[in-house]
């Protein structure tokens, strides 16, 4: 069966990228687990036919929704599983590339992302500059889009590791950057894995 990544029963572009970046950040060395948990509760989860909602009453009286994917209990691989597998594989590759990211570049990016007067577009531009600088030091043994995706998410992880309080900002900047520059590549990557 040929499944496609599209809006509707599949994850839309933004949610697909949210899940990919979030899953990438969960893997590999990090010291921002608490921030990841907080971020996880703020991420939108798409509604699809194979999922149902379970709600829990929180201590503050609000409701926390968790989606349970029924297909997982039947052993079939969902699109979300595929995205998490891709993120896990990319995180392993990213671990080997980690040393190619100069600490000074990370420090500079942290300083820029701390600037509250910077617009979303300004943040994306700072990230794009950092990605370009790291790409110059990367070997050309992978396809360009894959390397760019890896470097982008690796920079997000390094910024969050350096300054965990910036996780939310770097996460959203990274998702926006990927959606703007690499969404077609990410969709194709997922589609190819699902075929």
């Amino acid at each position: 069966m040929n499944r496609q990544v599209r809006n509707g029963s599949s994850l839309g572009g933004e949610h697909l990228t949210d899940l990919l970046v979030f899953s990438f950040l969960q893997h590999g060395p990090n010291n921002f687990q608490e921030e990841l948990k907080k971020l996880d509760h703020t991420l939108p989860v798409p509604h699809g036919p194979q999922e149902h909602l379970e709600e829990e009453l929180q201590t503050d009286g609000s409701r926390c929704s968790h989606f349970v994917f029924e297909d997982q209990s039947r052993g079939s691989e969902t699109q979300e599983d595929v995205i998490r597998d891709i993120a896990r594989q990319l995180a392993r590759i990213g671990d080997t590339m980690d040393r190619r990211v100069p600490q000074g570049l990370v420090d500079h990016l942290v300083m820029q992302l701390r600037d509250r007067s910077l617009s979303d577009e300004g943040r994306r531009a700072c990230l794009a500059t950092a990605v370009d600088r790291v790409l110059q030091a990367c070997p050309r043994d992978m396809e360009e889009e894959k390397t760019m995706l890896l470097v982008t998410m690796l920079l997000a992880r390094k910024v969050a590791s350096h300054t965990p309080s910036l996780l939310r900002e770097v996460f959203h900047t990274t998702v926006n950057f990927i959606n703007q520059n690499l969404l077609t590549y990410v969709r194709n990557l997922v589609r190819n894995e699902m075929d």
Side-chain angles (χ1 to χ4, degrees), residues 1 8 16-17 20 47-48 50 52 71 79 81 105 110-111 117 125 129 133-134 140-141 144 148 154-155 192:
M1 177 192 297
L16 181 144
T17 311
L20 180 69
H47 299 275
Q50 75 274 19
H52 66 275
D71 285 349
Q79 185 179 19
D81 292 331
L105 180 72
V110 165
M111 183 185 69
S117 67
T129 300
R133 291 181 68 197
V134 175
R140 305 287 178 207
D141 56 352
E144 185 177 339
M148 188 175 183
L154 186 57
L155 278 167
N192 292 340

Side-chain angles (χ1 to χ4, degrees), residues 157-180:
R157 188 169 74 189
K158 291 186 78 66
V159 166
S161 289
H162 182 284
T163 310
S165 63
L166 285 177
L167 175 64
R168 185 179 305 268
E169 287 85 357
V170 76
F171 175 82
H172 290 296
T173 300
T174 302
V175 167
N176 290 337
F177 178 84
I178 291 170
N179 284 340
Q180 199 171 57

Side-chain angles (χ1 to χ4, degrees), residues 86-103:
I86 291 168
R88 196 172 13 260
Q89 293 167 19
L90 291 173
R92 275 189 233 125
I93 297 168
D95 291 344
T96 66
M97 295 175 66
D98 190 75
R99 67 184 183 286
R100 295 185 187 278
V101 180
Q103 188 57 45

Side-chain angles (χ1 to χ4, degrees), residues 12-162:
E14 183 175 319
H15 298 299
L16 181 144
T17 311
D18 282 349
L19 182 57
L20 180 69
V21 174
F22 186 82
S23 297
F24 180 90
L25 292 172
Q26 287 180 309
H27 298 286
N30 71 55
N31 59 335
F32 48 89
Q33 285 301 318
E34 283 302 312
E35 288 79 6
L36 269 176
K37 287 177 188 173
K38 291 175 192 171
L39 179 63
D40 185 28
H41 292 295
T42 66
L43 294 179
V45 179
H47 299 275
Q50 75 274 19
E51 55 199 40
H52 66 275
L53 179 64
E54 290 186 354
E55 291 189 336
E56 294 177 3
L57 188 60
Q58 300 296 299
T59 55
D60 66 357
S62 65
R63 296 203 175 269
C64 178
S65 302
H66 299 282
F67 287 85
V68 178
F69 296 97
E70 294 170 351
D71 285 349
Q72 289 176 349
S73 63
R74 292 185 222 132
S76 64
E77 192 170 40
T78 66
Q79 185 179 19
E80 292 79 13
D81 292 331
V82 169
I83 294 166
R84 286 184 184 99
D85 286 343
I86 291 168
R88 196 172 13 260
Q89 293 167 19
L90 291 173
R92 275 189 233 125
I93 297 168
D95 291 344
T96 66
M97 295 175 66
D98 190 75
R99 67 184 183 286
R100 295 185 187 278
V101 180
Q103 188 57 45
L105 180 72
V106 174
D107 294 342
H108 186 67
L109 186 56
V110 165
M111 183 185 69
Q112 291 173 314
L113 292 176
R114 280 184 170 158
D115 182 355
R116 298 289 179 207
S117 67
L118 203 58
S119 67
D120 288 344
E121 186 57 42
R123 290 174 191 275
R124 279 193 302 275
C126 293
L127 180 59
T129 300
V131 167
D132 286 342
R133 291 181 68 197
V134 175
L135 285 174
Q136 292 172 6
C138 288
R140 305 287 178 207
D141 56 352
M142 279 190 293
E143 57 189 307
E144 185 177 339
E145 289 97 346
K146 185 175 187 176
T147 306
M148 188 175 183
L149 179 64
L150 255 169
V151 166
T152 303
M153 293 192 298
L154 186 57
L155 278 167
R157 188 169 74 189
K158 291 186 78 66
V159 166
S161 289
H162 182 284

